[in-house]
Amino acid sequence: MFAFIIRRLLQSVLVMLTVALIAFALFRFVGDPINNLVGQDTTLQDRQKLRETLGLNDSVVVQYWRYVVNTAKGDFGYSYMHRRPVKTMLLERMPATLELSIISILLALFIGVPMGVYTSLRRDGFLAKIFMSISLIGISLPTFLIGIMLILLFGVILRWLPTFGRGEVVALGTWTTGLLTVSGLKALIMPAITLALFQMTLIMRLVRSEMLEVLRTDYIKFARARGLSNRAVNFGHALKNTLVPVITITGLQLGSVIAFAIITESVFQWPGMGRMFIEAVADVDIPVMAAYLCLIALFFVVINLIVDLLYYAVDPRLRVDGGGSGGHG
Amino acid sequence: MAMSASSSDQALLSVRNLRIEFPTRHGTLVAVDDISFDILPGEILGVVGESGAGKSLTGAAIIGLLEPPGRIARGEIFLEGRRIDKLPYEQLRRIRGRQIGAIFQDPLTSLNPLYSINRQLVETIQTHLPLNDREARARALALLDEVGIPSAAERIDHYPHQFSGGMRQRVVIALALCAEPRLIIADEPTTALDVSIQAQIISLLKGLCHEHGTAVMLVTHDMGVIAEAADRVAVMYSGRIAEIGPVQEVIRTAKHPYTHGLMGSIPLIGHHVDKLTQIDGAMPRLQEIPAGCPFNPRCEQATDRCRVERPNLQTAQKSQVACHLFDETGRTGVEARAGE
């Protein structure tokens, strides 16, 4: 177990170094960084001097190492566009994205799992068929379309919910939250639903197919033959056995939700990291793009690590190593 | 039916004219066709037959766990005189485990891999008996001891994957015995086990049921297991009972030509034979069961009557046999065959 964690941590470091290399390469190969920093009328000598002070004349390896060390310390450099530390910009934007993403994935889990269980138990029921049909829409409609349609209905026609922004936010130290004000919560509803819908249908369909699989197994039949109540069989025995794939997918999806909240954030003018990234791409603001890349990679690595640890919590076959298969007496 | 109505009064389990159907797109398949039998308290009834003869389905029907679309189309099932085949799900659930225990074929897949043995035992015990956690755990420990798990106190908190196949089947037996059921339906309990362990499990099952006065419906295709454990045996063929009677009588003087062929195909230790007898052909598929006696295409003694008229169970000696050769009472199988 301990060796496993160490091994996974080393792998994670390797992944992060690779990502850092790609981010670092962005600086070198997307045009000359000096050109991005200075005006057209800067003299060659000034450029040379700047090159020297920025360390751009050192070998690539030295520069890469310096980049890795700085990044690890959280120093992503200055935004070309805004002339502010990228770190500060990220910290401002991160709460918005994380709140939206986490609320969305929770929404997806707490609605998707029960719906998946329901549709697997009442496979031929009317409601189950409706759920399955709706899930087809959720899985096939593009996110931005759902967002725009929600805005049209609830924002423009019914005027119940704000169509853009985050509403009022409250600062808790460096973290700004929209979860504590009414307008913040109202502003969160539509983006969260938009972002959650696809994940929800994915989780629902996953739970359904896993449940159908598990319900056919011998241990479920044996549990029924022992007279255990339906609740104990379906939720105690069957649902727990579907958890491993559900945890895997949910973890991966949380990563994707954070990374690809971009579209939803654009539709709802949500002041998160995704929108910052889109703006950075438009402005060729490489420090911001590189920092975003590293940060998203870090999220994925951490989430995957947590997912692996959750396997251990769920499945005793992984937990107990060796343990002896016990000879027959 | 030859069985009198009165026999169901003392019988623990009575199955009467049971018919199990599977509706399919190509018409209804009859998997079990009009079978009747009794199991007396404490008795071990072996049910033997080829795959698809309907033995396991009969067991599943008794505990109300036929897989849809399979359904009981006709017939009645009584447990201690009380009809149970029409009970609502919740009432039948309380009978399962409490009055009728079950043991399945493959111990490797019968236990939930994510829960400890203790948790699975305690959950089952508390479903049926009003015991608190400590009492239930004590009972679970006692059961594990009884089924012969060495150092049960240490192993009770282990998970299924930490036990061998034979040990897991012992745990499965403990689970079936949790609430002291009157009847256990054991569906091929040794088929998935090593031959060396099969005998241990069978003698364990036999011993426990003898001690507790538990009756067993022992479904198997292994005549050796039947000979070892059963008091009576029912031979099934194409969803019907071909022959049912005391195990020694059925083995020594098999009456139905199918049973006879079945016995002839078992090699005996000490008897040298060059070639085992075999029954030519295969059991018909469900959609191709012939008219009359289902065995007639493979039967060397079949007559025109066998191809038209379905034989009913006839009493012959202490057994009953569904064969036209035995229509005239008093003829034994040997005489009947000699007369051909």
Side-chain angles (χ1 to χ4, degrees):
Chain A
M1 171 88 190
F2 191 66
F4 169 81
I5 295 177
I6 297 289
R7 201 163 62 237
R8 281 307 315 253
L9 278 176
L10 286 178
Q11 284 171 358
S12 307
V13 169
L14 209 64
V15 169
M16 288 312 296
L17 282 176
T18 313
V19 172
L21 183 66
I22 295 168
F24 171 69
L26 276 179
F27 286 95
R28 313 257 331 152
F29 299 111
V30 186
D32 183 353
I34 297 296
N35 279 346
N36 294 315
L37 286 173
V38 298
Q40 281 187 338
D41 46 0
T42 315
T43 62
L44 270 176
Q45 279 90 354
D46 286 346
R47 286 175 187 250
Q48 241 359 292
K49 232 166 82 189
L50 191 59
R51 208 177 278 279
E52 194 59 45
T53 42
L54 287 177
L56 291 176
N57 288 331
D58 297 336
S59 78
V60 176
V61 180
V62 171
Q63 289 190 51
Y64 170 58
W65 182 245
R66 191 157 51 222
Y67 178 74
V68 168
V69 170
N70 285 340
T71 305
K73 282 192 254 169
D75 177 7
F76 298 102
Y78 279 75
S79 158
Y80 294 161
M81 197 61 201
H82 301 276
R83 309 279 161 190
R84 296 173 59 204
V86 175
K87 184 182 173 186
T88 321
M89 290 170 63
L90 277 177
L91 284 179
E92 281 170 11
R93 300 293 196 109
M94 200 154 55
T97 296
L98 287 186
E99 277 182 4
L100 176 60
S101 307
I102 289 168
I103 294 290
S104 297
I105 208 81
L106 288 179
L107 210 60
L109 266 182
F110 284 104
I111 299 177
V113 171
M115 274 171 82
V117 172
Y118 182 84
T119 47
S120 67
L121 295 178
R122 302 256 181 284
R123 205 164 9 148
D124 299 318
F126 179 67
L127 201 54
K129 282 182 175 155
I130 288 189
F131 282 167
M132 287 305 285
S133 313
I134 292 175
S135 80
L136 263 184
I137 299 174
I139 236 164
S140 48
L141 272 191
T143 313
F144 65 87
L145 192 62
I146 294 170
I148 290 170
M149 280 172 12
L150 282 178
I151 289 177
L152 181 67
L153 183 61
F154 295 103
V156 178
I157 298 177
L158 294 171
R159 294 181 174 279
W160 288 352
L161 298 168
T163 55
F164 67 91
R166 236 187 131 192
E168 285 173 60
V169 291
V170 178
L172 303 170
T174 53
W175 189 278
T176 57
T177 177
L179 299 178
L180 297 175
T181 63
V182 176
S183 76
L185 286 174
K186 275 172 81 174
L188 186 62
I189 294 175
M190 284 202 291
I193 289 175
T194 307
L195 199 53
L197 203 60
F198 177 80
Q199 319 299 334
M200 194 171 86
T201 49
L202 193 72
I203 289 172
M204 172 192 139
R205 288 178 157 258
L206 179 75
V207 169
R208 176 180 181 270
S209 64
E210 288 293 327
M211 278 288 282
L212 288 178
E213 191 87 5
V214 170
L215 287 172
R216 275 197 295 269
T217 58
D218 283 351
Y219 56 83
I220 294 301
K221 288 181 199 159
F222 188 44
R224 287 198 203 288
R226 297 204 300 275
L228 301 186
S229 69
N230 273 337
R231 222 188 64 181
V233 174
N234 294 335
F235 294 94
H237 288 261
L239 186 59
K240 194 172 179 192
N241 273 282
T242 68
L243 280 186
V244 166
V246 171
I247 288 172
T248 314
I249 297 294
T250 308
L252 288 178
Q253 291 302 315
L254 176 60
S256 315
V257 161
I258 295 171
F260 304 119
I262 294 174
I263 296 167
T264 309
E265 289 184 1
S266 301
V267 170
F268 289 96
Q269 299 288 298
W270 191 261
M273 291 189 299
R275 224 155 59 86
M276 186 179 78
F277 177 71
I278 289 284
E279 287 160 9
V281 170
D283 302 333
V284 203
D285 199 343
I286 289 173
V288 176
M289 287 159 66
Y292 184 75
L293 188 65
C294 291
L295 194 66
I296 293 298
L298 183 68
F299 280 137
F300 267 97
V301 163
V302 170
I303 289 168
N304 274 328
L305 208 60
I306 294 173
V307 164
D308 282 344
L309 293 180
L310 280 177
Y311 288 170
Y312 274 81
V314 170
D315 196 333
R317 282 167 293 187
L318 303 170
R319 202 154 56 218
V320 194
D321 31 10
S325 49
H328 190 276
Chain B
M1 281 293 99
M3 241 167 256
S4 63
S6 65
S7 66
S8 63
D9 294 342
Q10 334 135 7
L12 177 63
L13 182 86
S14 286
V15 174
R16 288 286 167 270
N17 308 100
L18 180 69
R19 179 184 170 99
I20 299 172
E21 292 181 349
F22 283 82
T24 69
R25 269 178 297 174
H26 311 290
T28 302
L29 300 180
V30 182
V32 169
D33 192 2
D34 197 25
I35 65 167
S36 302
F37 63 88
D38 284 342
I39 298 179
L40 301 174
E43 176 187 51
I44 299 184
L45 174 73
V47 179
V48 70
E50 296 170 48
S51 308
K55 352 180 259 299
S56 297
L57 283 176
T58 306
I62 291 169
I63 52 175
L65 288 179
L66 272 180
E67 301 253 331
R71 60 190 181 91
I72 298 177
R74 218 185 301 139
E76 297 162 336
I77 299 167
F78 297 93
L79 181 73
E80 297 179 305
R82 175 190 181 202
R83 188 163 176 191
I84 59 169
D85 57 306
K86 286 272 192 283
L87 285 181
Y89 184 90
E90 190 55 26
Q91 282 187 42
L92 196 55
R93 174 178 82 72
R94 288 177 195 285
I95 289 177
R96 286 199 289 268
R98 183 71 187 88
Q99 282 165 289
I100 307 178
I103 297 170
F104 285 2
Q105 176 170 349
D106 190 351
L108 298 183
T109 57
S110 289
L111 300 167
N112 189 336
L114 302 188
Y115 290 129
S116 69
I117 300 304
N118 177 57
R119 153 120 208 220
Q120 301 191 45
L121 279 161
V122 165
E123 184 183 26
T124 311
I125 291 167
Q126 290 186 328
T127 299
H128 298 294
L129 305 173
L131 300 181
N132 65 31
D133 291 352
R134 199 175 43 79
E135 292 162 342
R137 188 182 163 93
R139 177 164 174 79
L141 254 178
L143 280 163
L144 288 182
D145 261 334
E146 207 177 353
V147 296
I149 304 273
S151 49
E154 276 170 44
R155 307 220 66 189
I156 188 168
D157 289 312
H158 284 188
Y159 289 86
H161 71 275
Q162 293 167 290
F163 291 81
S164 66
M167 281 298 155
R168 281 192 230 184
Q169 196 64 313
R170 286 171 192 260
V171 173
V172 167
I173 292 172
L175 279 163
L177 289 172
C178 268
E180 294 260 340
R182 302 287 319 275
L183 171 69
I184 286 181
I185 294 177
D187 190 353
E188 309 259 6
T190 56
T191 307
L193 299 173
D194 282 355
V195 179
S196 58
I197 292 160
Q198 289 184 358
Q200 294 175 9
I201 295 294
I202 286 299
S203 69
L204 173 73
L205 190 61
K206 196 177 166 185
L208 284 175
C209 292
H210 188 72
E211 276 168 40
H212 294 256
T214 313
V216 183
M217 177 175 158
L218 181 60
V219 175
T220 179
H221 58 252
D222 186 341
M223 279 310 294
V225 168
I226 297 282
E228 172 72 28
D231 301 312
R232 283 192 308 136
V233 56
V235 180
M236 285 189 73
Y237 187 83
S238 282
R240 303 173 195 184
I241 291 178
E243 183 166 353
I244 180 169
V247 70
Q248 288 310 321
E249 186 179 315
V250 171
I251 287 176
R252 292 215 181 105
T253 56
K255 294 174 186 64
H256 197 286
Y258 174 64
T259 320
H260 197 72
L262 213 56
M263 298 307 157
S265 63
I266 301 169
L268 293 169
I269 294 173
H271 291 250
H272 178 80
V273 281
D274 290 326
K275 202 174 172 187
L276 293 171
T277 47
Q278 64 168 20
I279 309 173
D280 290 328
M283 199 173 71
R285 295 196 295 165
L286 287 182
Q287 56 268 48
E288 291 161 357
I289 295 175
C293 172
F295 188 60
N296 80 63
R298 301 169 76 185
C299 182
E300 288 171 3
Q301 302 171 65
T303 62
D304 287 344
R305 190 182 170 204
C306 299
R307 287 182 259 279
V308 185
E309 190 188 329
R310 177 176 166 176
N312 286 322
L313 280 175
Q314 313 288 331
T315 302
Q317 289 177 294
K318 287 178 192 154
S319 306
Q320 293 174 296
V321 54
C323 179
H324 289 310
L325 294 174
F326 293 86
D327 278 359
E328 297 151 55
T329 48
R331 286 174 75 184
T332 65
V334 184
E335 285 163 353
R337 261 186 294 280
E340 284 297 310

